[in-house]
Structure formats: structure tokens, C-alpha cells
Amino acid sequence: MAPVFGKLADQSNLQRSLTIAVSLVIASLVIAKIASTALAIAVTVLLLDVGVQATQVTNVATIYTLDAESNSRINTVYMTTYFIDGAVVTSIGLLC
């Protein structure tokens, strides 16, 4: 699905791409909350993965439009922040 969302983001439909991606993540969380069958878990994982990957692709497409000469530096800051945030949220989740 990454190529689909990449093309959507490249066509200057960033808001639409993010809306769809976040909707997929929210749908996966709703399914996880209301259903506990193996099929529901599989659908939840699939929707969550597609939603997060689509968000990632859209965000990268967005930051590449900021400054063409600084793409590598901007990407470094974005990815570093992305992984630090993931580690912090995981740590908080483990404590709760």
C-alpha cells in the first residue's frame, strides 16, 4: 500500500492521504476493542500496519517538499524523532 499512498501524497493530496491513514489506524483500534476473535486480530494488525505505513510515507513526502537541498538532514531529524518518540511511548505503555 505504500506506493498507493506515496502517489496520493505526491499528487499534493497530503491531507486526504493522512485522513485515510489515520482512519485506518482508528478503525483498527475500534476493531481491537470490540472483537477478540482470531480474524478480528488479523484484521486489526493489517489495518494498523497499513495505517502506520501510510502515515510514514505521507509524512516523508511532506518533509521532502520543505527544502530540496536539505532532504537528508530533514529526514535524519524526522526519523530520529520518530524512533525516540516510539521508544518513549513504549516505555510509558510498559509502565501502565
Side-chain angles (χ1 to χ4, degrees):
M1 291 302 293
V4 172
F5 284 95
K7 288 178 186 176
L8 189 62
D10 287 341
Q11 296 171 351
S12 298
N13 289 325
L14 299 172
Q15 188 65 36
R16 177 187 280 172
S17 181
L18 277 177
T19 301
I20 294 169
V22 171
S23 297
L24 290 172
V25 172
I26 292 171
S28 73
L29 296 175
V30 169
I31 292 170
K33 185 69 175 169
I34 62 174
S36 61
T37 65
L39 179 61
I41 293 170
V43 171
T44 298
V45 169
L46 180 68
L47 289 177
L48 185 62
D49 184 51
V50 170
V52 170
Q53 291 296 325
T55 303
Q56 178 79 359
V57 167
T58 305
N59 287 340
V60 169
T62 303
I63 64 172
Y64 281 166
T65 63
L66 297 176
D67 184 9
E69 295 179 9
S70 301
N71 279 346
S72 62
R73 288 182 292 238
I74 293 170
N75 191 46
T76 299
V77 170
Y78 172 73
M79 291 307 295
T80 302
T81 304
Y82 186 84
F83 283 110
I84 289 173
D85 289 348
V88 168
V89 170
T90 299
S91 299
I92 291 170
L94 289 173
L95 295 174
C96 293

Short mmCIF file of all heavy atoms in Angstrom, two decimals, residues 29-84:
data_model
loop_
_atom_site.label_atom_id
_atom_site.label_comp_id
_atom_site.label_asym_id
_atom_site.label_seq_id
_atom_site.Cartn_x
_atom_site.Cartn_y
_atom_site.Cartn_z
N LEU A 29 -8.07 0.17 15.91
CA LEU A 29 -8.21 0.25 17.37
C LEU A 29 -9.64 -0.06 17.80
O LEU A 29 -9.84 -0.73 18.83
CB LEU A 29 -7.77 1.62 17.86
CG LEU A 29 -6.30 1.96 17.65
CD1 LEU A 29 -6.01 3.39 18.07
CD2 LEU A 29 -5.40 0.98 18.38
N VAL A 30 -10.61 0.40 17.03
CA VAL A 30 -12.01 0.10 17.35
C VAL A 30 -12.27 -1.40 17.23
O VAL A 30 -12.91 -2.00 18.10
CB VAL A 30 -12.95 0.91 16.44
CG1 VAL A 30 -14.39 0.43 16.55
CG2 VAL A 30 -12.86 2.39 16.75
N ILE A 31 -11.77 -2.00 16.16
CA ILE A 31 -11.95 -3.45 15.99
C ILE A 31 -11.29 -4.21 17.13
O ILE A 31 -11.85 -5.17 17.66
CB ILE A 31 -11.41 -3.90 14.61
CG1 ILE A 31 -12.28 -3.34 13.50
CG2 ILE A 31 -11.36 -5.42 14.52
CD1 ILE A 31 -11.70 -3.52 12.11
N ALA A 32 -10.10 -3.79 17.51
CA ALA A 32 -9.40 -4.46 18.61
C ALA A 32 -10.18 -4.35 19.92
O ALA A 32 -10.16 -5.27 20.74
CB ALA A 32 -8.01 -3.86 18.78
N LYS A 33 -10.85 -3.23 20.11
CA LYS A 33 -11.60 -3.02 21.35
C LYS A 33 -12.87 -3.85 21.41
O LYS A 33 -13.22 -4.36 22.48
CB LYS A 33 -11.94 -1.52 21.48
CG LYS A 33 -12.60 -1.15 22.75
CD LYS A 33 -11.66 -1.26 23.91
CE LYS A 33 -12.34 -0.75 25.16
NZ LYS A 33 -11.60 -1.07 26.34
N ILE A 34 -13.56 -4.01 20.27
CA ILE A 34 -14.87 -4.66 20.32
C ILE A 34 -14.85 -6.14 19.96
O ILE A 34 -15.81 -6.84 20.22
CB ILE A 34 -15.89 -3.93 19.41
CG1 ILE A 34 -15.46 -3.97 17.95
CG2 ILE A 34 -16.12 -2.52 19.88
CD1 ILE A 34 -16.47 -3.39 16.98
N ALA A 35 -13.78 -6.62 19.37
CA ALA A 35 -13.75 -8.03 18.93
C ALA A 35 -12.48 -8.70 19.43
O ALA A 35 -11.44 -8.06 19.59
CB ALA A 35 -13.82 -8.10 17.41
N SER A 36 -12.58 -10.00 19.67
CA SER A 36 -11.40 -10.71 20.17
C SER A 36 -11.18 -12.04 19.44
O SER A 36 -10.44 -12.88 19.93
CB SER A 36 -11.54 -10.96 21.67
OG SER A 36 -12.68 -11.75 21.92
N THR A 37 -11.79 -12.22 18.30
CA THR A 37 -11.58 -13.45 17.55
C THR A 37 -10.25 -13.37 16.79
O THR A 37 -9.68 -12.29 16.64
CB THR A 37 -12.72 -13.68 16.54
OG1 THR A 37 -12.70 -12.62 15.57
CG2 THR A 37 -14.07 -13.72 17.24
N ALA A 38 -9.81 -14.50 16.32
CA ALA A 38 -8.54 -14.53 15.58
C ALA A 38 -8.63 -13.70 14.31
O ALA A 38 -7.69 -13.00 13.94
CB ALA A 38 -8.16 -15.97 15.25
N LEU A 39 -9.77 -13.75 13.64
CA LEU A 39 -9.95 -12.97 12.42
C LEU A 39 -9.92 -11.47 12.72
O LEU A 39 -9.30 -10.70 11.99
CB LEU A 39 -11.27 -13.33 11.74
CG LEU A 39 -11.59 -12.56 10.46
CD1 LEU A 39 -10.52 -12.81 9.40
CD2 LEU A 39 -12.97 -12.93 9.95
N ALA A 40 -10.54 -11.06 13.82
CA ALA A 40 -10.55 -9.65 14.20
C ALA A 40 -9.14 -9.17 14.53
O ALA A 40 -8.76 -8.05 14.18
CB ALA A 40 -11.47 -9.42 15.39
N ILE A 41 -8.37 -10.01 15.17
CA ILE A 41 -6.99 -9.65 15.49
C ILE A 41 -6.17 -9.51 14.22
O ILE A 41 -5.38 -8.57 14.07
CB ILE A 41 -6.36 -10.67 16.46
CG1 ILE A 41 -7.06 -10.58 17.82
CG2 ILE A 41 -4.87 -10.44 16.61
CD1 ILE A 41 -6.69 -11.68 18.78
N ALA A 42 -6.38 -10.41 13.27
CA ALA A 42 -5.66 -10.34 11.99
C ALA A 42 -6.02 -9.06 11.24
O ALA A 42 -5.14 -8.38 10.69
CB ALA A 42 -5.96 -11.57 11.15
N VAL A 43 -7.31 -8.73 11.21
CA VAL A 43 -7.75 -7.50 10.54
C VAL A 43 -7.19 -6.28 11.25
O VAL A 43 -6.74 -5.32 10.61
CB VAL A 43 -9.30 -7.45 10.47
CG1 VAL A 43 -9.79 -6.09 10.00
CG2 VAL A 43 -9.82 -8.54 9.58
N THR A 44 -7.18 -6.32 12.58
CA THR A 44 -6.63 -5.22 13.36
C THR A 44 -5.17 -5.00 13.03
O THR A 44 -4.74 -3.86 12.78
CB THR A 44 -6.77 -5.50 14.88
OG1 THR A 44 -8.16 -5.60 15.19
CG2 THR A 44 -6.13 -4.43 15.71
N VAL A 45 -4.39 -6.06 13.01
CA VAL A 45 -2.96 -5.95 12.71
C VAL A 45 -2.74 -5.43 11.30
O VAL A 45 -1.90 -4.55 11.07
CB VAL A 45 -2.25 -7.31 12.92
CG1 VAL A 45 -0.85 -7.29 12.38
CG2 VAL A 45 -2.25 -7.68 14.39
N LEU A 46 -3.52 -5.93 10.36
CA LEU A 46 -3.39 -5.49 8.97
C LEU A 46 -3.72 -4.01 8.82
O LEU A 46 -2.94 -3.25 8.22
CB LEU A 46 -4.29 -6.32 8.06
CG LEU A 46 -4.26 -5.96 6.59
CD1 LEU A 46 -2.90 -6.31 6.00
CD2 LEU A 46 -5.36 -6.67 5.84
N LEU A 47 -4.85 -3.58 9.37
CA LEU A 47 -5.24 -2.17 9.28
C LEU A 47 -4.25 -1.26 10.00
O LEU A 47 -3.92 -0.18 9.50
CB LEU A 47 -6.64 -1.97 9.84
CG LEU A 47 -7.80 -2.52 9.03
CD1 LEU A 47 -9.11 -2.29 9.76
CD2 LEU A 47 -7.83 -1.90 7.65
N LEU A 48 -3.78 -1.69 11.15
CA LEU A 48 -2.82 -0.89 11.90
C LEU A 48 -1.52 -0.75 11.13
O LEU A 48 -0.97 0.35 11.02
CB LEU A 48 -2.56 -1.52 13.27
CG LEU A 48 -1.68 -0.73 14.23
CD1 LEU A 48 -2.30 0.61 14.56
CD2 LEU A 48 -1.44 -1.53 15.49
N ASP A 49 -1.04 -1.83 10.55
CA ASP A 49 0.20 -1.78 9.79
C ASP A 49 0.06 -0.89 8.57
O ASP A 49 0.92 -0.04 8.31
CB ASP A 49 0.61 -3.20 9.37
CG ASP A 49 1.95 -3.20 8.67
OD1 ASP A 49 2.92 -2.63 9.22
OD2 ASP A 49 2.04 -3.77 7.57
N VAL A 50 -1.02 -1.05 7.82
CA VAL A 50 -1.22 -0.22 6.62
C VAL A 50 -1.37 1.25 7.01
O VAL A 50 -0.78 2.13 6.37
CB VAL A 50 -2.44 -0.71 5.81
CG1 VAL A 50 -2.81 0.28 4.72
CG2 VAL A 50 -2.18 -2.07 5.22
N GLY A 51 -2.11 1.53 8.07
CA GLY A 51 -2.31 2.91 8.51
C GLY A 51 -1.03 3.58 8.95
O GLY A 51 -0.75 4.73 8.58
N VAL A 52 -0.22 2.87 9.72
CA VAL A 52 1.04 3.45 10.20
C VAL A 52 2.03 3.64 9.05
O VAL A 52 2.69 4.68 8.95
CB VAL A 52 1.66 2.57 11.33
CG1 VAL A 52 3.07 3.00 11.65
CG2 VAL A 52 0.78 2.63 12.56
N GLN A 53 2.11 2.65 8.15
CA GLN A 53 3.00 2.79 7.00
C GLN A 53 2.55 3.93 6.09
O GLN A 53 3.38 4.68 5.57
CB GLN A 53 3.05 1.48 6.21
CG GLN A 53 3.76 0.36 6.94
CD GLN A 53 5.22 0.66 7.18
OE1 GLN A 53 5.88 1.30 6.38
NE2 GLN A 53 5.72 0.20 8.31
N ALA A 54 1.25 4.07 5.90
CA ALA A 54 0.73 5.15 5.06
C ALA A 54 1.03 6.51 5.69
O ALA A 54 1.38 7.46 4.98
CB ALA A 54 -0.77 4.99 4.86
N THR A 55 0.91 6.59 7.00
CA THR A 55 1.25 7.83 7.69
C THR A 55 2.73 8.15 7.51
O THR A 55 3.11 9.30 7.24
CB THR A 55 0.91 7.72 9.19
OG1 THR A 55 -0.47 7.41 9.32
CG2 THR A 55 1.22 9.01 9.92
N GLN A 56 3.56 7.14 7.64
CA GLN A 56 5.01 7.32 7.47
C GLN A 56 5.35 7.81 6.06
O GLN A 56 6.11 8.75 5.89
CB GLN A 56 5.71 5.99 7.77
CG GLN A 56 7.19 6.00 7.59
CD GLN A 56 7.91 6.62 8.75
OE1 GLN A 56 7.32 7.07 9.72
NE2 GLN A 56 9.21 6.66 8.66
N VAL A 57 4.77 7.17 5.06
CA VAL A 57 5.03 7.55 3.66
C VAL A 57 4.56 8.98 3.40
O VAL A 57 5.27 9.78 2.78
CB VAL A 57 4.35 6.57 2.69
CG1 VAL A 57 4.35 7.09 1.27
CG2 VAL A 57 5.03 5.21 2.76
N THR A 58 3.39 9.33 3.90
CA THR A 58 2.86 10.68 3.70
C THR A 58 3.71 11.71 4.41
O THR A 58 4.00 12.78 3.86
CB THR A 58 1.41 10.76 4.19
OG1 THR A 58 0.64 9.75 3.53
CG2 THR A 58 0.80 12.11 3.92
N ASN A 59 4.15 11.42 5.62
CA ASN A 59 5.00 12.35 6.35
C ASN A 59 6.34 12.57 5.65
O ASN A 59 6.83 13.70 5.56
CB ASN A 59 5.22 11.88 7.79
CG ASN A 59 3.99 12.06 8.64
OD1 ASN A 59 3.11 12.84 8.33
ND2 ASN A 59 3.93 11.33 9.73
N VAL A 60 6.93 11.51 5.15
CA VAL A 60 8.20 11.64 4.43
C VAL A 60 8.00 12.46 3.16
O VAL A 60 8.81 13.32 2.83
CB VAL A 60 8.81 10.25 4.13
CG1 VAL A 60 9.97 10.36 3.16
CG2 VAL A 60 9.27 9.60 5.42
N ALA A 61 6.91 12.21 2.43
CA ALA A 61 6.62 13.00 1.23
C ALA A 61 6.44 14.48 1.59
O ALA A 61 6.86 15.36 0.84
CB ALA A 61 5.38 12.47 0.54
N THR A 62 5.84 14.73 2.74
CA THR A 62 5.64 16.11 3.18
C THR A 62 6.96 16.78 3.51
O THR A 62 7.20 17.92 3.09
CB THR A 62 4.72 16.15 4.42
OG1 THR A 62 3.48 15.52 4.10
CG2 THR A 62 4.46 17.57 4.87
N ILE A 63 7.82 16.11 4.24
CA ILE A 63 9.07 16.76 4.64
C ILE A 63 10.01 16.95 3.46
O ILE A 63 10.83 17.86 3.48
CB ILE A 63 9.79 16.02 5.80
CG1 ILE A 63 10.24 14.63 5.39
CG2 ILE A 63 8.92 15.98 7.03
CD1 ILE A 63 11.12 13.96 6.41
N TYR A 64 9.88 16.11 2.43
CA TYR A 64 10.73 16.29 1.25
C TYR A 64 10.34 17.53 0.44
O TYR A 64 11.11 17.98 -0.39
CB TYR A 64 10.70 15.06 0.36
CG TYR A 64 11.59 13.94 0.85
CD1 TYR A 64 11.47 12.67 0.33
CD2 TYR A 64 12.55 14.15 1.83
CE1 TYR A 64 12.29 11.63 0.77
CE2 TYR A 64 13.36 13.13 2.28
CZ TYR A 64 13.22 11.88 1.75
OH TYR A 64 14.03 10.87 2.19
N THR A 65 9.16 18.08 0.68
CA THR A 65 8.77 19.31 -0.01
C THR A 65 9.27 20.56 0.70
O THR A 65 9.14 21.65 0.16
CB THR A 65 7.24 19.39 -0.14
OG1 THR A 65 6.66 19.46 1.16
CG2 THR A 65 6.68 18.21 -0.90
N LEU A 66 9.86 20.41 1.88
CA LEU A 66 10.27 21.58 2.65
C LEU A 66 11.48 22.29 2.04
O LEU A 66 11.46 23.49 1.83
CB LEU A 66 10.57 21.19 4.10
CG LEU A 66 9.39 20.63 4.89
CD1 LEU A 66 9.85 20.19 6.27
CD2 LEU A 66 8.30 21.67 5.00
N ASP A 67 12.55 21.55 1.80
CA ASP A 67 13.77 22.14 1.25
C ASP A 67 14.54 21.05 0.51
O ASP A 67 15.08 20.14 1.13
CB ASP A 67 14.63 22.73 2.38
CG ASP A 67 15.87 23.45 1.88
OD1 ASP A 67 15.99 23.65 0.65
OD2 ASP A 67 16.71 23.81 2.71
N ALA A 68 14.59 21.16 -0.80
CA ALA A 68 15.19 20.11 -1.62
C ALA A 68 16.68 19.89 -1.32
O ALA A 68 17.18 18.78 -1.45
CB ALA A 68 15.01 20.43 -3.10
N GLU A 69 17.36 20.93 -0.90
CA GLU A 69 18.80 20.81 -0.62
C GLU A 69 19.09 20.20 0.75
O GLU A 69 20.21 19.79 1.01
CB GLU A 69 19.47 22.18 -0.73
CG GLU A 69 19.43 22.74 -2.14
CD GLU A 69 20.08 24.10 -2.22
OE1 GLU A 69 20.70 24.54 -1.24
OE2 GLU A 69 19.94 24.72 -3.29
N SER A 70 18.10 20.14 1.60
CA SER A 70 18.31 19.65 2.96
C SER A 70 17.54 18.36 3.25
O SER A 70 17.27 18.05 4.41
CB SER A 70 17.87 20.72 3.97
OG SER A 70 18.59 21.91 3.78
N ASN A 71 17.19 17.62 2.22
CA ASN A 71 16.38 16.41 2.42
C ASN A 71 17.00 15.42 3.39
O ASN A 71 16.32 14.88 4.26
CB ASN A 71 16.11 15.71 1.09
CG ASN A 71 14.99 16.35 0.33
OD1 ASN A 71 14.24 17.15 0.87
ND2 ASN A 71 14.87 16.00 -0.93
N SER A 72 18.29 15.17 3.28
CA SER A 72 18.91 14.17 4.15
C SER A 72 18.93 14.63 5.60
O SER A 72 18.68 13.83 6.51
CB SER A 72 20.32 13.82 3.67
OG SER A 72 21.14 14.96 3.73
N ARG A 73 19.21 15.91 5.84
CA ARG A 73 19.20 16.41 7.22
C ARG A 73 17.81 16.39 7.81
O ARG A 73 17.60 16.00 8.96
CB ARG A 73 19.79 17.82 7.28
CG ARG A 73 21.28 17.86 7.07
CD ARG A 73 21.74 19.28 7.18
NE ARG A 73 21.21 20.01 6.04
CZ ARG A 73 21.96 20.66 5.16
NH1 ARG A 73 23.25 20.69 5.31
NH2 ARG A 73 21.41 21.29 4.15
N ILE A 74 16.83 16.83 7.02
CA ILE A 74 15.44 16.84 7.50
C ILE A 74 14.98 15.41 7.78
O ILE A 74 14.33 15.15 8.79
CB ILE A 74 14.52 17.54 6.48
CG1 ILE A 74 14.86 19.02 6.39
CG2 ILE A 74 13.06 17.35 6.85
CD1 ILE A 74 14.18 19.76 5.26
N ASN A 75 15.32 14.49 6.89
CA ASN A 75 14.94 13.09 7.09
C ASN A 75 15.61 12.51 8.34
O ASN A 75 14.98 11.74 9.08
CB ASN A 75 15.29 12.26 5.86
CG ASN A 75 14.68 10.88 5.93
OD1 ASN A 75 13.51 10.74 6.24
ND2 ASN A 75 15.49 9.88 5.65
N THR A 76 16.85 12.88 8.59
CA THR A 76 17.55 12.41 9.79
C THR A 76 16.85 12.89 11.06
O THR A 76 16.63 12.11 11.99
CB THR A 76 19.01 12.89 9.79
OG1 THR A 76 19.67 12.36 8.64
CG2 THR A 76 19.74 12.47 11.04
N VAL A 77 16.48 14.15 11.08
CA VAL A 77 15.78 14.70 12.25
C VAL A 77 14.42 14.01 12.41
O VAL A 77 14.04 13.62 13.51
CB VAL A 77 15.61 16.23 12.13
CG1 VAL A 77 14.68 16.77 13.19
CG2 VAL A 77 16.96 16.92 12.19
N TYR A 78 13.72 13.83 11.30
CA TYR A 78 12.40 13.19 11.36
C TYR A 78 12.50 11.76 11.88
O TYR A 78 11.77 11.36 12.79
CB TYR A 78 11.74 13.20 9.97
CG TYR A 78 10.47 12.40 9.91
CD1 TYR A 78 9.31 12.87 10.51
CD2 TYR A 78 10.44 11.15 9.31
CE1 TYR A 78 8.14 12.13 10.48
CE2 TYR A 78 9.27 10.41 9.28
CZ TYR A 78 8.14 10.89 9.87
OH TYR A 78 6.99 10.15 9.85
N MET A 79 13.39 10.96 11.31
CA MET A 79 13.49 9.55 11.70
C MET A 79 14.00 9.41 13.14
O MET A 79 13.54 8.54 13.87
CB MET A 79 14.39 8.79 10.74
CG MET A 79 13.79 8.63 9.36
SD MET A 79 12.13 7.92 9.34
CE MET A 79 12.43 6.30 9.99
N THR A 80 14.95 10.25 13.54
CA THR A 80 15.45 10.20 14.91
C THR A 80 14.32 10.52 15.90
O THR A 80 14.14 9.81 16.89
CB THR A 80 16.62 11.19 15.10
OG1 THR A 80 17.65 10.85 14.18
CG2 THR A 80 17.16 11.15 16.51
N THR A 81 13.57 11.56 15.59
CA THR A 81 12.44 11.93 16.44
C THR A 81 11.39 10.82 16.46
O THR A 81 10.83 10.50 17.51
CB THR A 81 11.82 13.24 15.94
OG1 THR A 81 12.82 14.25 15.90
CG2 THR A 81 10.69 13.70 16.85
N TYR A 82 11.14 10.22 15.31
CA TYR A 82 10.15 9.15 15.18
C TYR A 82 10.52 7.97 16.09
O TYR A 82 9.68 7.45 16.82
CB TYR A 82 10.09 8.71 13.71
CG TYR A 82 9.03 7.71 13.37
CD1 TYR A 82 7.73 8.12 13.10
CD2 TYR A 82 9.32 6.36 13.30
CE1 TYR A 82 6.75 7.20 12.76
CE2 TYR A 82 8.35 5.43 12.96
CZ TYR A 82 7.07 5.87 12.69
OH TYR A 82 6.10 4.95 12.37
N PHE A 83 11.79 7.56 16.06
CA PHE A 83 12.20 6.42 16.87
C PHE A 83 12.29 6.76 18.36
O PHE A 83 11.95 5.93 19.21
CB PHE A 83 13.52 5.84 16.36
CG PHE A 83 13.35 5.01 15.12
CD1 PHE A 83 13.82 5.45 13.91
CD2 PHE A 83 12.67 3.79 15.17
CE1 PHE A 83 13.64 4.69 12.76
CE2 PHE A 83 12.49 3.03 14.02
CZ PHE A 83 12.97 3.49 12.82
N ILE A 84 12.72 7.96 18.69
CA ILE A 84 12.76 8.36 20.10
C ILE A 84 11.34 8.40 20.66
O ILE A 84 11.08 7.91 21.77
CB ILE A 84 13.47 9.72 20.27
CG1 ILE A 84 14.97 9.55 20.02
CG2 ILE A 84 13.22 10.31 21.66
CD1 ILE A 84 15.75 10.84 19.99
#
